[in-house]
Amino acid sequence: MPDYLDDLRLAHVLADAADAATTARFKALDLKVETKPDMTPVSEADRSAEELIRGQLQRARPRDAILGEEYGIEGTGPRRWVIDPIDGTKNYVRGVPVWATLISLMEAAEGGYQPVVGVVSAPALGRRWWAAKGHGAFSGRSLTSATRIHVSRVGKLADASFAYSSLSGWEEQGRLNGFLDLTREVWRTRAYGDFWPYMMVAEGSVDLCAEPELSLWDMAATAVIVTEAGGTFTGLDGRPGPHSGNAAASNGLLHDELLGYLNQRY
């Protein structure tokens, strides 16, 4: 099996470059923000960070394809880098420090492309998480200053912490009642949002999280980190990986119950 460590090292280099670019424009008074056709915001920092990552990938991995939130798909082949230059743009443009650059490498496999490398870098929080298939998941400042992370061993909903992003998406999908039933069963709920709940699941500080509507670039990096930390990452339909347009992540012990509640429809 490939060890992917060279690709992981490259992903860290890409994240370092993106961190420098995004941090430089964070809280800038002249930051330019536009609204995309899907009514979500995009800043000049989103675009410049993705352009920077794409440029470095084209030099370092010219045969690999690249899929990014801002500029779409470029190239073909069995290896595909997936980029979200700023996950949490709404936070970024309002000066909230909960945002990150998500970088993943996916490889063609049975059932579609699967993530084999993931880096989530949140410079305003001073945090970074990463994983490579078969090598476990880690958090720290760098590859040489890292701590291995693992999901929790909480086995009862009554003892579990559940993280989510918002209520509106669950209501739009007719899943709100099941979602609310779940919140009544768990020990604690918090709406951290975006990439952060998945990283909390991976490091064991949260036990389960879910979102009703996501894109591949929102999930590819987080999926491999959660699974390499010993957790379970699926769509709400139970399909493993980041392919269902939504996500449910857990320590594995509570996953069936998580899906059961979120698939209740009234």
Side-chain angles (χ1 to χ4, degrees), residues 58 72 220 223:
Q58 286 161 356

Side-chain angles (χ1 to χ4, degrees), residues 128-152:
R128 183 178 290 185
W129 303 261
W130 63 89
K133 184 178 179 181
H135 290 276
F138 296 83
S139 179
R141 295 284 183 176
S142 66
L143 282 167
T144 56
S145 176
T147 301
R148 188 159 187 170
I149 58 176
H150 198 280
V151 296
S152 75

Side-chain angles (χ1 to χ4, degrees), residues 28-200:
L29 297 178
D30 61 343
L31 182 72
K32 296 178 182 177
V33 183
E34 301 173 6
T35 300
K36 293 191 286 189
D38 64 359
M39 302 308 292
T40 61
V42 58
S43 74
E44 64 182 76
D46 291 82
R47 293 188 171 125
S48 63
E50 184 168 325
E51 288 169 354
L52 186 64
I53 294 169
R54 282 176 177 270
Q56 293 199 19
L57 280 172
Q58 286 161 356
R59 291 188 293 274
R61 296 289 191 275
R63 296 182 179 180
D64 293 351
I66 305 171
L67 171 65
E69 179 177 10
E70 306 307 334
Y71 295 105
I73 184 74
E74 181 179 0
T76 59
R79 289 164 47 97
R80 178 181 297 173
W81 293 87
V82 180
I83 306 159
D84 189 344
I86 299 179
D87 182 55
T89 298
K90 292 178 182 177
N91 283 346
Y92 184 87
V93 301
R94 290 296 303 270
V96 179
V98 184
W99 48 272
T101 295
L102 279 52
I103 300 168
S104 178
L105 172 63
M106 303 186 75
E107 279 199 340
E110 187 176 347
Y113 284 85
Q114 299 298 329
V116 294
V117 168
V119 171
V120 172
S121 191
L125 294 177
R127 298 294 309 276
R128 183 178 290 185
W129 303 261
W130 63 89
K133 184 178 179 181
H135 290 276
F138 296 83
S139 179
R141 295 284 183 176
S142 66
L143 282 167
T144 56
S145 176
T147 301
R148 188 159 187 170
I149 58 176
H150 198 280
V151 296
S152 75
R153 292 176 174 81
V154 173
K156 296 181 180 179
L157 282 181
D159 299 327
S161 180
F162 170 52
Y164 62 97
S165 288
S166 67
L167 297 179
S168 58
W170 301 105
E171 185 172 30
E172 290 165 6
Q173 293 189 8
R175 301 178 190 264
L176 182 59
N177 287 335
F179 173 89
L180 292 175
D181 285 346
L182 175 61
T183 66
R184 297 182 184 107
E185 293 297 320
V186 297
W187 167 65
R188 191 170 190 252
T189 61
R190 284 293 184 272
Y192 300 107
D194 301 306
F195 67 93
W196 207 5
Y198 302 95
M199 299 302 93
M200 290 179 174

Side-chain angles (χ1 to χ4, degrees), residues 172-178 236 260-266:
E172 290 165 6
Q173 293 189 8
R175 301 178 190 264
L176 182 59
N177 287 335
L236 297 177
Y261 276 99
L262 297 180
N263 282 306
Q264 291 179 25
R265 293 175 180 269
Y266 298 108

